[in-house]
Amino acid sequence: MKCFDFKRRLALLKDGIMARGLDALLVTGGSNVSYLSGFTGHDSMLLITRRENHFITDSRYIEEAKNTVADFDIGLMKRSAYEAISGIAKKSRLKRIGFEAMDLSYGVAAKLTRLAGAAKFVPCIDMVEALRSIKDPDEIAMIKESVRLNRKIFGLIAGKVRPGVSERSIARKIESMYLEAGARAAFDPIIAAGKNASKPHAVPGDTRIGKNSFVMVDMGARLGNYCSDLTRMVEVGRVKNRYRKVLSIVMAAREKAIAAVRPGAKLSDIDAAGRGHIEREGFGKYFGHSLGHGVGIDVHEKPTISAMSEGITAAGMVFT
């Protein structure tokens, strides 16, 4: 595993905590816990105050946490997370504690508020995710390794996409090849043959690949906790010219979008560069999703590249 600068990440988060007038942030999203501490287990959370870093987990993961997590006070949930968090809040006299509103349920937040004495829990969005959207050189290197592996396995799997083979068998083969390479699937591989190829998130089934058709292959590897994401259309036999035309329009739109990428560009302008070409060619009504999304610890993360996106690009962002 790369030696990430967790102290720097925590320092940046503490700047955000102070800027929002908070005394602490409760981090419950698994990917965010991993990003800030390096821990890759489950059922753990962080309580980051302006001066202290608390790592809270249960008996199943306490030993691993003590062996792998540095710069945190490791706490064991003896009875419940509620008790552990409220105990720290009272001891440290915390007044305003942010929580990850997109991860922690309303019911849990309400119960914490009842148990934490004078502390008030404040909903927060994207505090850690905003930091994660800017990758450091080690993260970029790991994503590149994941991309290289993904492309290599796609090259091997493309030769197995042939008439008579089922969608499900190709998907299972991809998963086994990831495992053999020391990785795992970042998401369930999507293999969509024939009419199914128009469904972006089709579920591989018993449909068999036919002659003279397209097969959509959507696959991603998780290597060293970082993801890759690749979608390709595989041509089996001879495909009708009108389908080739549509594919050429999509490829041209992709190149126009890539040409619009630079630090400081509006995310919505990148989307418009690709979407605009598809619309001008008469296929705009079929493009119902966003143009792209960030990739990192999660296969879908910040930034989102869509017509509704309000942000701008920055050096270090990685997205499809």
Side-chain angles (χ1 to χ4, degrees):
M1 182 176 179
K2 299 285 186 181
C3 186
F4 296 121
D5 191 350
F6 296 112
K7 288 185 178 180
R8 178 178 177 276
R9 294 175 180 179
L10 288 167
L12 290 172
L13 180 61
K14 289 174 188 284
D15 288 343
I17 288 171
M18 288 188 286
R20 296 195 182 201
L22 301 172
D23 296 314
L25 177 69
L26 178 62
V27 180
T28 53
S31 295
N32 290 343
V33 169
S34 179
Y35 177 79
L36 294 168
S37 70
F39 187 73
T40 56
H42 302 285
D43 295 325
S44 302
M45 59 189 71
L46 311 177
L47 185 60
I48 311 297
T49 76
R50 296 187 181 194
R51 297 182 179 84
E52 301 170 333
N53 307 318
H54 297 276
F55 185 100
I56 305 165
T57 191
D58 62 33
S59 59
R60 295 170 297 168
Y61 299 103
I62 190 70
E63 185 176 353
E64 180 183 353
K66 288 180 176 179
N67 290 335
T68 60
V69 176
D71 302 315
F72 280 83
D73 293 325
I74 311 298
L76 173 66
M77 288 185 271
K78 294 181 180 179
R79 288 193 293 185
S80 73
Y82 300 107
E83 180 184 76
I85 295 165
S86 61
I88 295 171
K90 291 175 182 178
K91 182 178 179 181
S92 300
R93 298 181 179 179
L94 303 176
K95 301 299 183 183
R96 287 173 54 83
I97 303 173
F99 69 92
E100 297 186 310
M102 300 301 288
D103 181 77
L104 200 67
S105 71
Y106 175 85
V108 172
K111 186 171 183 178
L112 283 170
T113 298
R114 292 196 300 271
L115 296 175
K120 178 181 179 181
F121 281 80
V122 180
C124 297
I125 298 175
D126 291 344
M127 285 188 67
V128 181
E129 288 83 354
L131 299 178
R132 285 172 50 194
S133 70
I134 309 296
K135 273 64 177 179
D136 62 37
D138 282 338
E139 288 183 290
I140 292 172
M142 294 192 74
I143 293 169
K144 286 183 175 181
E145 288 179 18
S146 182
V147 169
R148 279 192 287 268
L149 175 64
N150 207 31
R151 292 182 66 179
K152 177 182 178 181
I153 291 178
F154 170 74
L156 296 172
I157 212 72
K160 302 181 183 299
V161 177
R162 54 182 181 267
V165 179
S166 73
E167 297 169 333
R168 183 179 285 114
S169 67
I170 297 292
R172 297 295 82 83
K173 183 63 177 176
I174 291 171
E175 292 178 313
S176 67
M177 292 175 79
Y178 284 147
L179 293 173
E180 290 169 3
R184 55 193 173 96
F187 55 90
D188 292 339
I190 300 170
I191 309 298
K195 293 182 178 180
N196 291 336
S198 67
K199 305 170 186 176
H201 283 188
V203 177
D206 294 326
T207 298
R208 296 188 178 275
I209 297 168
K211 298 179 180 179
N212 303 323
S213 65
F214 275 129
V215 178
M216 182 178 69
V217 178
D218 189 355
M219 52 190 283
R222 179 180 294 278
L223 180 65
N225 206 35
Y226 279 81
C227 299
S228 51
D229 186 5
L230 175 152
T231 306
R232 294 288 185 270
M233 301 300 292
V234 179
E235 183 178 332
V236 180
R238 300 181 64 181
V239 179
K240 294 179 179 179
N241 286 336
R242 63 191 179 103
Y243 295 145
R244 285 176 175 269
K245 177 185 177 182
V246 172
L247 181 59
S248 69
I249 291 170
V250 173
M251 295 300 291
R254 174 179 176 271
E255 293 305 315
K256 290 180 181 295
I258 290 173
V261 176
R262 64 185 183 282
K266 291 182 179 180
L267 299 174
S268 58
D269 285 349
I270 298 171
D271 180 276
R275 190 178 304 277
H277 179 72
I278 291 174
E279 289 175 344
R280 288 189 295 274
E281 293 292 336
F283 290 89
K285 67 179 181 180
Y286 301 108
F287 190 7
H289 50 81
S290 61
L291 183 85
H293 58 82
V295 180
I297 294 176
D298 290 326
V299 75
H300 291 95
E301 57 180 53
K302 299 293 182 180
T304 298
I305 316 299
S306 77
M308 302 299 292
S309 298
E310 296 181 350
I312 61 173
T313 57
M317 285 183 171
V318 178
F319 49 81
T320 64

